[in-house]
């Protein structure tokens, strides 16, 4: 109980003490009438107590204090304690801007001097409203009234500036704190982790003499948000070793880190922790589980969690629909969308339609995709955004309708983005259309002059045509403009540990074994009649060297490591930062057949489930 709540309980009038959280407006009016009849509100102490009790214990009826003349009593003006209580209630409610009215019109105008409680509640208001100008003015008022060294106010200011995205201001306030306590340290840790300075946050975290679960959550969130998922999961393990009980917020963050890494084993471990700890599967936690399983390639478990959830929101449905589409189950994703509409409890939003259009794209349902795009406006009042248009281009391209895709781009209601032109360029690569591919590349380079992926795709188109002069010319342009191909990176999880492979990196402790396995796989492929496709190699080297270069792509190294590390019957799961190249895609199909292994690859665009020489993408990715 804080000081304000304590004060309201000192010598509380018995009639005022009838006010509870459940008190209705009718009952409150009856209490008010009784206090007026008895003359109780003529006493300044009880008048203030009445206002404060409504604010603290019955905030749903707080507007009653302003619509009546409670604040303009003929004998009493509300004191600072009552006004602080009202500001506090508004700062925590859905209409925090009313706090400014009471601060300006009832405290400053009546020459009351605000105290540290006033400023703490006003700071919370500014944070909720993301009010930059008001925050600066309020900080100046804090200094003017001499509360800039108050530890509670300082902590509040750090939190406020963190919400406003002003990390420099957070540092400025924190440097003035003489002896920061746990709450202040945690606030600064949260600010630096949230706003991207995770190394500073980690230094603070390691130096804190004791840490509560809020500090752990902030650190895990910071790592997850900046893509350092491995460190987030290391903290998750450390939390359990130290006996820190994780809550729903922690687990959503941990599952997000597992999703980013594609770390299915660790995701399963996190799910098991949720069940062992008997954490309630809230909508947020359930949605995170669905998303994790779907994006780690275990769509069956994702749907099992989905159907077991007692409550689902639009993001739960969207994650499930999108997960099915990403895993190549387009018809199933569209069927789930029809169930969602029939159910009628949740209305689709723009995220849902991204999932739906992706479902249409993976199975090439052009007409259905058109209908869904039209229904966004006509049935649901949702204006399609760039990503929706990009998916429609992908849908046309998948079906070989390249001229229609180009016309669609040219008639978009906004300027076409890189995503739309890239989808068209990729379709040109798949369907070997050099002319439209050149147009798409030029449009991409107008928007992003150093887009390495676009150069690589057009180079592959030229190579398919055996147009080596154009290939050389394109590579020379890349060199002249300083464009370098982003190195491929692949991650595979073995026994709960993520192993990362980068092209050209030989630092893995088992690299020699991996190299031997790569050579063994290459021999088996050659014996089976496979000829390497070296078009993706952008270096001017001999063909034999190109074959070696392709065989050392990061996904090939990860698959080879999976073959030597995982028991037979366990799927090999690889997560990539780029789209899988044509040669590695064909090789993965053959490995799945020759070595009797299921291989699941999540590239930048979608999942590829390789089994018995076939891929779920059916040759289009």
């Amino acid at each position: 109980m804080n000081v304000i709540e304590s004060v309201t309980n000192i010598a509380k009038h018995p009639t005022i003490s009838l006010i509870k959280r459940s008190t209705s407006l009718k009952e409150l009016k009856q209490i008010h009438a009784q206090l007026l009849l008895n003359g109780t509100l003529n006493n300044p102490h009880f008048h203030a107590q009445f206002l404060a009790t409504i604010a603290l214990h019955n905030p749903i009826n707080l507007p009653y204090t302003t619509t009546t003349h409670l604040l303009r009593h003929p004998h009493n003006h509300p004191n600072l304690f009552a006004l602080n209580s009202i500001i506090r209630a508004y700062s925590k409610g859905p209409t925090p801007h009313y706090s400014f009215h009471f601060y300006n019109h009832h405290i400053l105008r009546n020459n009351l001097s605000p105290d540290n409680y006033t400023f703490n509640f006003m700071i919370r208001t500014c944070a909720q409203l993301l009010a930059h100008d008001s925050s600066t003015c309020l900080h100046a008022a804090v200094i003017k009234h001499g509360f800039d060294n108050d530890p509670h106010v300082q902590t509040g200011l750090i939190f406020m500036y963190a919400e406003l995205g002003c990390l420099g201001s957070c540092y400025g306030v924190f440097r003035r704190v003489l002896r920061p306590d746990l709450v202040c340290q945690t606030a600064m840790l949260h600010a630096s982790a949230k706003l991207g300075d995770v190394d500073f946050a980690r230094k603070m975290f390691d130096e804190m003499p004791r840490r509560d679960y809020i500090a752990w959550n902030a650190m895990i969130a910071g790592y997850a948000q900046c893509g350092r998922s491995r460190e987030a999961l290391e903290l998750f393990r450390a939390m359990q070793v130290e006996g820190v009980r994780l809550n729903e917020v922690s687990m959503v963050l941990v599952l997000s880190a597992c999703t980013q890494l594609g770390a299915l084993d660790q995701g399963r471990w996190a799910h098991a922790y949720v069940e062992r700890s008997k954490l309630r599967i809230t909508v947020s936690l359930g949605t995170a589980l669905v998303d994790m399983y779907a994006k780690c390639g275990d769509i069956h478990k994702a749907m099992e969690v989905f159907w077991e959830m007692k409550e689902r929101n639009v993001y739960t449905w969207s994650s499930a629909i999108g997960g099915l589409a990403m895993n190549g189950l387009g018809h199933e994703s569209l069927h789930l969308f029809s169930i969602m509409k029939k159910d009628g409890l949740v209305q689709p939003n723009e995220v849902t339609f991204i999932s739906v259009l992706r479902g249409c794209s993976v199975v090439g349902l052009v007409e259905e995709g058109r209908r869904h795009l039209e229904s966004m406006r006509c049935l649901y009042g949702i204006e399609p955004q760039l990503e929706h248009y990009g998916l429609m281009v992908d849908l046309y391209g998948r079906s070989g309708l390249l001229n229609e895709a180009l016309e669609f781009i040219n008639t978009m209601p906004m300027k076409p983005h890189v995503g739309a032109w890239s989808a068209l360029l990729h379709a040109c690569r798949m369907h070997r259309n050099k002319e439209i591919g050149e147009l798409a590349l030029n449009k991409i380079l107008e928007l992003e002059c150093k887009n390495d992926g676009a150069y690589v795709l057009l180079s592959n188109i030229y190579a398919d045509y055996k147009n080596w002069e154009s290939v050389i010319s394109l590579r020379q342009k890349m060199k002249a403009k300083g464009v370098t191909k982003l190195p491929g990176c692949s991650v595979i999880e073995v026994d709960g540990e993520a192993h990362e492979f980068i092209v050209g990196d030989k630092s893995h402790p088992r690299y020699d074994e991996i190299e031997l396995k790569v050579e063994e796989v290459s021999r088996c492929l050659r014996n089976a009649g496979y000829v390497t496709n070296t078009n993706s190699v952008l270096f001017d080297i001999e063909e034999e060297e190109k074959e070696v270069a392709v065989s050392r792509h990061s996904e090939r190294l990860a698959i080879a490591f999976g073959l030597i590390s995982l028991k037979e019957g366990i799927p090999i799961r690889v997560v990539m930062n780029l789209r899988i190249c044509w040669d590695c895609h064909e090789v993965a199909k053959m490995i799945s057949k020759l070595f009797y292994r299921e291989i699941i690859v999540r590239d930048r665009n979608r999942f590829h489930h390789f089994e018995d020489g076939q891929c779920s993408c059916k040759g289009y990715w």
Side-chain angles (χ1 to χ4, degrees), residues 155-325:
T155 300
L157 286 169
I158 292 169
F159 171 77
M160 177 187 77
Y161 282 124
E163 292 300 296
L164 295 170
C166 303
L167 185 56
S169 298
C170 294
Y171 289 141
V173 174
F174 187 69
R175 279 194 291 268
R176 291 181 57 86
V177 183
L178 296 177
R179 286 180 292 277
D181 59 10
L182 174 65
V183 177
C184 184
Q185 288 176 321
T186 303
M188 189 63 233
L189 188 153
H190 174 269
S192 51
K194 177 181 179 179
L195 299 178
D197 194 352
V198 287
D199 293 324
F200 178 83
R202 184 58 190 261
K203 184 175 181 293
M204 279 195 67
F205 181 83
D206 290 337
E207 292 173 354
M208 289 170 72
R210 60 190 184 92
R211 303 178 282 253
D212 59 12
Y213 74 92
I214 298 172
W216 286 90
N217 279 347
M219 202 64 246
I220 290 175
Y223 278 135
Q225 286 165 3
C226 72
R228 290 164 65 172
S229 303
R230 193 170 300 172
E231 286 133 307
L233 295 179
E234 285 170 1
L235 276 183
F236 170 49
R237 287 191 287 269
M239 282 181 83
Q240 294 176 79
V241 170
E242 294 202 14
V244 181
R245 181 174 169 78
L246 288 85
N247 60 11
E248 176 216 346
V249 176
S250 305
M251 294 314 302
V252 169
L253 295 169
V254 167
L255 290 166
S256 170
C258 294
T259 303
Q260 287 179 18
L261 273 179
L264 181 60
D265 287 346
Q266 295 186 68
R268 287 169 174 160
W269 179 27
H271 191 183
Y273 178 89
V274 169
E275 292 177 333
R276 280 198 313 274
S277 305
K278 295 182 168 52
L279 290 178
R280 189 170 70 88
I281 303 291
T282 60
V283 175
S284 297
L285 184 53
T287 302
L289 282 166
V290 170
D291 198 49
M292 182 276 293
Y293 278 119
K295 289 179 179 174
C296 288
D298 192 345
I299 191 62
H300 301 296
K301 185 64 179 178
M303 296 312 299
E304 181 183 311
V305 173
F306 176 82
W307 291 118
E308 286 175 355
M309 288 176 66
K310 293 181 174 60
E311 183 184 355
R312 309 178 192 98
N313 64 13
V314 65
Y315 297 104
T316 318
W317 284 96
S318 300
S319 290
I321 294 166
L324 288 164

Side-chain angles (χ1 to χ4, degrees), residues 353 372-384 389 413:
F353 279 102
H372 286 305
L373 188 72
E374 187 64 26
S375 74
M376 286 179 67
R377 289 196 201 89
C378 299
L379 295 181
Y380 301 102
I382 302 169
E383 197 61 37
Y389 288 110

Side-chain angles (χ1 to χ4, degrees), residues 1-13 17 20 45 49 53 56-57 81:
M1 183 181 294
N2 63 36
V3 175
I4 284 188
E5 289 172 321
S6 300
V7 171
T8 60
N9 290 325
I10 297 173
K12 184 177 282 189
H13 191 280
S17 65
K20 309 291 182 190
H45 171 75
Q49 193 180 83
T53 303
L56 291 170
H57 300 295
F81 157 64

Side-chain angles (χ1 to χ4, degrees), residues 314-468:
V314 65
Y315 297 104
T316 318
W317 284 96
S318 300
S319 290
I321 294 166
L324 288 164
M326 180 183 271
N327 282 274
L329 303 171
H331 291 293
E332 289 84 347
S333 73
L334 297 173
H335 177 64
L336 186 61
F337 180 55
S338 68
I339 292 174
M340 175 187 177
K341 291 191 293 184
K342 196 172 183 180
D343 188 52
L345 297 175
V346 176
Q347 288 294 301
N349 65 7
E350 61 278 2
V351 178
T352 314
F353 279 102
I354 288 172
S355 299
V356 169
L357 291 173
R358 187 167 282 126
C360 293
S361 183
V362 297
V363 286
L365 298 176
V366 176
E367 286 306 318
E368 185 160 353
R370 284 174 176 157
R371 286 199 300 272
H372 286 305
L373 188 72
E374 187 64 26
S375 74
M376 286 179 67
R377 289 196 201 89
C378 299
L379 295 181
Y380 301 102
I382 302 169
E383 197 61 37
Q385 301 301 311
L386 286 170
E387 191 166 358
H388 300 103
Y389 288 110
L391 284 165
M392 280 303 300
V393 175
D394 185 65
L395 176 52
Y396 282 116
R398 167 180 287 275
S399 304
L401 304 172
L402 300 183
N403 290 317
E404 288 86 343
L406 180 57
E407 183 183 351
F408 182 83
I409 290 176
N410 289 330
T411 55
M412 282 172 58
M414 69 275 284
K415 184 178 179 180
H417 64 314
V418 168
W421 289 114
S422 295
L424 180 60
L425 179 56
H426 193 77
C428 292
R429 163 74 174 95
M430 301 305 295
H431 296 289
R432 300 188 176 188
N433 189 310
K434 182 165 59 74
E435 290 73 20
I436 296 180
E438 289 172 336
L439 170 66
L441 174 68
N442 290 329
K443 293 293 186 180
I444 291 169
L445 297 182
E446 286 176 13
L447 299 169
E448 290 182 7
C449 63
K450 292 193 176 183
N451 189 307
D452 62 300
Y455 279 108
V456 171
L457 278 172
L458 187 58
S459 174
N460 290 341
I461 294 173
Y462 287 145
D464 287 339
Y465 276 96
K466 308 297 181 188
N467 187 346
W468 305 117

